[in-house]
Every structure is written in structure tokens, then in C-alpha cells.
Amino acid sequence: MKITPNDILKNVIPQETKNAEKPSEGKFGEILQQAFENTSTHKSQSIGPPPAQSMPEIRFDPLSFEHRTQIVARVKEFLNVFEEYQKKLGDPELTLKDIHPVVTQMDEQTKGLLPLLDSLPEGDEIKEILNSTLIYSSIEIAKFNRGDYTV
């Protein structure tokens, strides 16, 4: 049996489509025109947004009062530890071994308060106080561990 490329093409690509329906002329244009006319008549009757008075009041303060008071309490506690460190550091009778537990406590609280700093909104007074305190405590912890306060 001899196979020619034309025979293969005839089997793969038919020359004429049998029973193919020809699209009716103008039906799509008529449907499109009707759809366009329907949308243009509905445009004048479109419903706008509700008036501003009927919208509920939106509150943008992400912190609840209870959460805020907990943060303030933790910051106060941290400042008290920082003050205790300052007093012990200024006492000439104490050794660095005596002061080390307070430095460890400051370090633990610093690590615990860092996530709170990220949760506070920008421009918040508590965030500014907490940020400054965390910076100062980190510097003091580094100085103490580096040995800046040796005699």
C-alpha cells in the first residue's frame, strides 16, 4: 500500500465540514442591539450608594481599652525594673554580680515587650515611650555585658 502525504492530510484535515450550520445573518447583531438598549434604559434608573447618614460609625482604634491598660501596666513594670537597675548601678557597695539579676530581668522584659511595640499604631504616645525605653535598656544591657562598668 502506497501512502502519500495528501492522503494523510485528507484524513486529518477534512476538506469540507459535513452538516455544518451556517450562522444566520444578523441574529447576533439584533441580540447585541437589544442588550445595549436595555442597559442604556437601566442606566438612568441605577441605584446610587446609600447616604452617609445611614452608615454605621467606624472606629479605627485597633486597641481596646483593656489591651491598652495592660500595655501601660507592663511598660510601668519595665520602667520600675529599669529604675531599680539605675539605683543599683549607682550604689558603690554593690558588685556587678549583685546587679546581674536585674540586667537579666531587663533583658527578658525587653524581649517580651518588643512584639507589643509592633502592635501599637504609629504616633501613639505609649509606643514612643516604649520605643525609647527599649532602646535605652538595650544599650545598657550591651554596656553591662561588654564590661563597660568594671572597676
Side-chain angles (χ1 to χ4, degrees):
M1 175 174 189
K2 186 176 179 183
I3 300 175
T4 61
N6 290 337
D7 293 335
I8 295 172
L9 289 176
K10 286 180 186 178
N11 290 332
V12 176
I13 305 171
Q15 296 293 332
E16 293 180 22
T17 55
K18 299 177 182 175
N19 299 331
E21 293 182 23
K22 292 184 179 179
S24 55
E25 299 287 329
K27 284 193 177 183
F28 177 75
E30 291 173 10
I31 294 171
L32 181 65
Q33 185 62 32
Q34 287 176 355
F36 181 73
E37 288 173 358
N38 288 341
T39 57
S40 64
T41 57
H42 289 294
K43 271 188 179 177
S44 61
Q45 299 171 356
S46 64
I47 300 172
Q53 294 89 4
S54 67
M55 293 183 72
E57 185 176 319
I58 299 173
R59 189 168 181 200
F60 292 102
D61 187 15
L63 297 176
S64 67
F65 179 74
E66 294 144 2
H67 184 65
R68 194 171 192 76
T69 54
Q70 288 174 354
I71 292 173
V72 170
R74 287 185 66 185
V75 170
K76 278 184 180 180
E77 181 183 335
F78 182 65
L79 288 172
N80 290 337
V81 172
F82 201 66
E83 186 178 359
E84 181 184 349
Y85 167 75
Q86 181 186 11
K87 286 179 184 177
K88 286 189 175 193
L89 194 62
D91 189 353
E93 294 179 10
L94 294 177
T95 65
L96 294 177
K97 272 189 173 178
D98 297 331
I99 301 172
H100 188 266
V102 178
V103 174
T104 305
Q105 187 179 6
M106 278 177 36
D107 190 32
E108 289 172 2
Q109 287 194 358
T110 299
K111 290 175 183 172
L113 289 172
L114 277 174
L116 284 179
L117 185 65
D118 295 333
S119 70
L120 294 169
E122 288 296 323
D124 193 346
E125 294 171 353
I126 297 172
K127 184 173 185 167
E128 293 173 18
I129 293 169
L130 181 60
N131 188 34
S132 299
T133 308
L134 290 173
I135 290 171
Y136 290 131
S137 71
S138 299
I139 291 170
E140 284 302 314
I141 292 167
K143 283 182 175 181
F144 186 86
N145 290 333
R146 189 173 55 201
D148 288 2
Y149 297 117
T150 58
V151 180

